[in-house]
Amino acid sequence: MRALIIDDSAVMRKVVERALRQSGIDFTEVLQASNGEEALEALRGDAANKLNLIVSDINMPVMDGLQFLETRRDQNLAPGVPVVMITTEGSEPFVLRAIAAGARGYICKPFTAEQVKERVIPLLGAA
Amino acid sequence: MPQTLDATRDLVAVINDTALIDQTVEEVIGLMVGAPVTVIESSVSPSDAPITLTAVIGLAGALSGAFNVIINESGARQITSGLMGMEITELDDTVFDGLGEITNVLAGAWKKKIPELSAACLLSVPTVVAGTRYDIHKKTSTIQIARSYGFNDSAFTIRLYGEHP
């Protein structure tokens, strides 16, 4: 399994990677991007064909997570790869906009590795 | 009009409820850092020596102001170590990043407990200031909360201030 983690905080990317690896799923590669624009670049390259999961923050400089979702949808980049949002913005408008733009899961910070596992495993099974 | 004034007073009273901040801190530091916290009386001040770090999250919208976490170098390293699951021994960009991120999560989790702020108060990306004996200047605010917490062998202070337009 291969995942792409999008977060402007290197510490949070590490925290999410640790939670993914604690889920029991064998992630052979975890790619990282520090904003939506970097992630789109990765999806325009070879990474798109190899990914099984994308995990993204919302509040990021350059391009935020919602803009990333909408651009990815509009440009049909890696359309079959499930995206899970992990963010502090858990209010209904953000969740609805993320789901409308193609997010398949939503996890609010703070989170536990168990919560990540519960949200991610069903998506990988359906991928 | 009286109803609007009452609603404003009610919201300010909810924002000033320190139990919500205490609960938020307990949840966030417990889940993400793996450390129990206790409320303490003595506050951490940026004028303390040696190096003190202040993480600032700007608040805009239904609450306009800032959510600050003030902590000494050792405490910031302990928080980052807890987040990453590895010992951090030096004050570097990783520590600034970790402190900024935990402050962001604290601010986000706190506002989520207040329905009037949840969607209507936006958070900025964090800024972290590090130094010795510095002052933070701000406008006089209607809402001012200061709360201090001990964890492991360290402490931090949350200072929240702002206006409800």
Side-chain angles (χ1 to χ4, degrees):
Chain A
M1 292 280 182
R2 290 180 174 83
L4 169 63
I5 299 171
I6 313 165
D7 199 308
D8 57 318
S9 163
V11 169
M12 194 49 66
R13 292 198 299 269
K14 183 80 177 171
V15 170
V16 173
E17 180 177 351
R18 194 155 54 112
L20 287 177
R21 293 193 184 283
Q22 286 174 349
S23 69
I25 304 160
D26 183 18
F27 283 98
T28 54
E29 191 175 11
V30 177
L31 305 174
Q32 300 193 2
S34 61
N35 58 63
E37 201 164 279
E38 280 185 17
L40 290 172
E41 277 306 306
L43 295 185
R44 291 186 187 107
D46 291 342
N49 300 322
K50 301 174 183 171
L51 284 176
N52 303 96
L53 176 70
I54 298 170
V55 180
S56 180
D57 187 18
I58 286 187
N59 284 333
M60 294 180 285
V62 184
M63 179 185 281
D64 68 31
L66 294 173
Q67 290 174 303
F68 161 74
L69 278 173
E70 289 162 353
T71 309
R72 169 183 173 266
R73 179 195 58 196
D74 295 344
Q75 298 183 5
N76 202 34
L77 295 169
V81 181
V83 182
V84 175
M85 309 306 285
I86 296 188
T87 176
T88 54
E89 290 292 359
S91 62
E92 194 174 326
F94 282 98
V95 177
L96 293 177
R97 191 174 156 198
I99 289 170
R104 299 276 302 280
Y106 210 98
I107 300 171
C108 287
K109 299 173 186 173
F111 58 85
T112 62
E114 191 62 30
Q115 288 170 328
V116 174
K117 180 180 176 179
E118 284 171 7
R119 302 290 200 293
V120 163
I121 284 183
L123 296 177
L124 293 175
Chain B
M1 184 63 88
Q3 279 185 338
T4 304
L5 285 173
D6 285 348
T8 299
R9 285 194 198 100
D10 288 348
L11 178 57
V12 170
V14 171
I15 291 171
N16 277 314
D17 182 359
T18 54
L20 288 178
I21 292 192
D22 293 349
Q23 194 184 345
T24 302
V25 170
E26 188 179 331
E27 288 169 3
V28 171
I29 302 299
L31 275 176
M32 300 201 74
V33 181
V37 295
T38 53
V39 176
I40 59 173
E41 291 298 319
S42 57
S43 63
V44 180
S45 163
S47 58
D48 292 345
I51 291 175
T52 306
L53 293 86
T54 301
V56 182
I57 299 285
L59 309 171
L63 178 62
S64 174
F67 187 107
N68 298 344
V69 170
I70 304 148
I71 191 167
N72 66 22
E73 177 192 344
S74 167
R77 282 192 284 106
Q78 285 181 45
I79 280 184
T80 308
S81 297
L83 278 172
M84 298 189 73
M86 56 190 284
E87 190 179 2
I88 305 292
T89 57
E90 292 183 8
L91 181 63
D92 57 15
D93 285 348
T94 302
V95 177
F96 299 141
D97 184 4
L99 179 62
E101 196 57 32
I102 204 76
T103 305
N104 183 40
V105 178
L106 284 165
W110 170 76
K111 77 163 179 137
K112 206 166 65 181
K113 292 185 186 300
I114 304 171
E116 293 90 338
L117 297 184
S118 183
C121 174
L122 299 178
L123 307 180
S124 74
V125 293
T127 298
V128 178
V129 179
T132 57
R133 300 185 186 284
Y134 56 91
D135 296 320
I136 296 174
H137 297 276
K138 56 178 174 50
K139 286 182 180 176
T140 303
S141 303
T142 311
I143 297 163
Q144 295 198 51
I145 303 170
R147 201 78 170 150
S148 297
Y149 303 91
F151 71 103
N152 296 340
D153 59 351
S154 197
F156 62 91
T157 294
I158 290 177
R159 288 190 183 278
L160 192 159
Y161 62 90
E163 300 289 341
H164 173 57

